[in-house]
Amino acid sequence: MRIVELHARALELATAVVGTVQPEQLVLATPCAGWPLRRLLEHEVGQHRGFAAAALGAGADRARWRDVPVHGDPAGAFRRSAERLTAAFATAGAAAEPAPLHLPEIGDGGPFPFDRAVGFHLLDTLVHAWDVAAALGSPARLVAAVQAEPPLVGALLTVAGAVPASAGARGPGQAFGPVRAVPDRTGPFDRVLALLGRDPSWSAADR
C-alpha cells in the first residue's frame, strides 16, 4: 500500500477514537505533559490544517499551523479537518512527482519529500490517537486495530525508528522524550511508544 493510503487509514482509526470524546471530557489529562485533552485536540486539528496547506503548496506560512479551537464539538472539528487533509494528500499524491512539503515545525522546515512528510503525519496521527484513547482509559482497542494491519504497523515502526534519538532532539520543549527501554516481547505499538519516549502503561487513573 502507498503511504497516502496508509495515512488515510491511520486517520480513520484516529477519527473513530476522537469520535467518542464528549465535551465534558476535554479537561482530562493526557500523556502529553501539561496538555489536557482539549489542548491536544486543538493541536491536532491545527496540524491537520497545516499539513493540508503544505500538501497544496502553502506550508511555509506559519499562520496555517496554529492550534484551532474545537469548542463544544471536538469530534466534528477533528473529523472535518481530517477529511480535508485526506483530500489534500490524495490530490498532491496523484501527481507523477509529488512536490516536497514545507513543514516549518519540523527540523529546518524542509522542504521534505512528499512520502516522508506523509509518514511524519501518519506517526503523529496514531501516537496522538493513542494519547486520546489513553486519556479516555481505553487504548487497547486502538492498539489491537493498528497491530491487526501489518502494512500500517510496519510503516509506523519505520517512521518511529527514524526519529533522531540524540539528547538535543529529545526532552523538554521537544516533540518526543528520551527512548524508553521495553521487554523483548513488547508488542510493536508499545515499541513505537517507547521509541518516542511514551510510557505504554500510562493511565489517567494514576495522574
Side-chain angles (χ1 to χ4, degrees):
M1 294 178 69
R2 293 186 60 213
I3 191 67
V4 170
E5 297 168 322
L6 293 171
H7 176 270
R9 178 58 179 151
L11 268 181
E12 287 178 0
L13 293 172
T15 299
V17 172
V18 177
T20 68
V21 175
Q22 301 302 310
E24 62 270 20
Q25 295 175 310
L26 293 173
V27 298
L28 293 175
T30 74
C32 300
W35 281 21
L37 189 51
R38 178 187 294 277
R39 173 76 189 280
L40 174 59
L41 293 176
E42 291 177 344
H43 167 75
E44 288 192 79
V45 173
Q47 291 293 299
H48 292 170
R49 292 191 176 187
F51 271 89
L56 300 177
D61 181 359
R62 284 188 172 270
R64 306 273 188 154
W65 297 85
R66 293 173 182 158
D67 291 357
V68 177
V70 298
H71 301 297
D73 183 22
F78 187 96
R79 184 187 68 255
R80 290 187 293 272
S81 64
E83 289 170 349
R84 285 193 291 269
L85 176 54
T86 297
F89 275 169
T91 296
E97 293 187 16
L101 274 59
H102 288 275
L103 307 174
E105 296 187 349
I106 297 179
D108 62 3
F112 297 94
F114 177 76
D115 281 5
R116 187 179 179 199
V118 176
F120 289 159
H121 196 265
L122 181 150
L123 175 70
D124 200 55
T125 295
L126 290 177
V127 172
H128 280 324
W130 178 85
D131 291 333
V132 174
L136 299 175
S138 55
R141 181 176 297 180
L142 172 70
V143 171
V146 174
Q147 293 182 164
E149 302 187 26
L152 183 58
V153 76
L156 181 62
L157 279 165
T158 297
V159 180
V163 175
S166 60
R170 303 294 186 110
Q174 302 295 329
F176 305 115
V179 175
R180 290 174 174 264
V182 292
D184 290 340
R185 293 187 180 182
T186 299
F189 200 109
D190 282 0
R191 289 205 303 276
V192 166
L193 296 174
L195 278 171
L196 301 178
R198 295 290 201 281
D199 176 2
S201 65
W202 188 96
S203 171
D206 298 330
R207 302 301 119 182

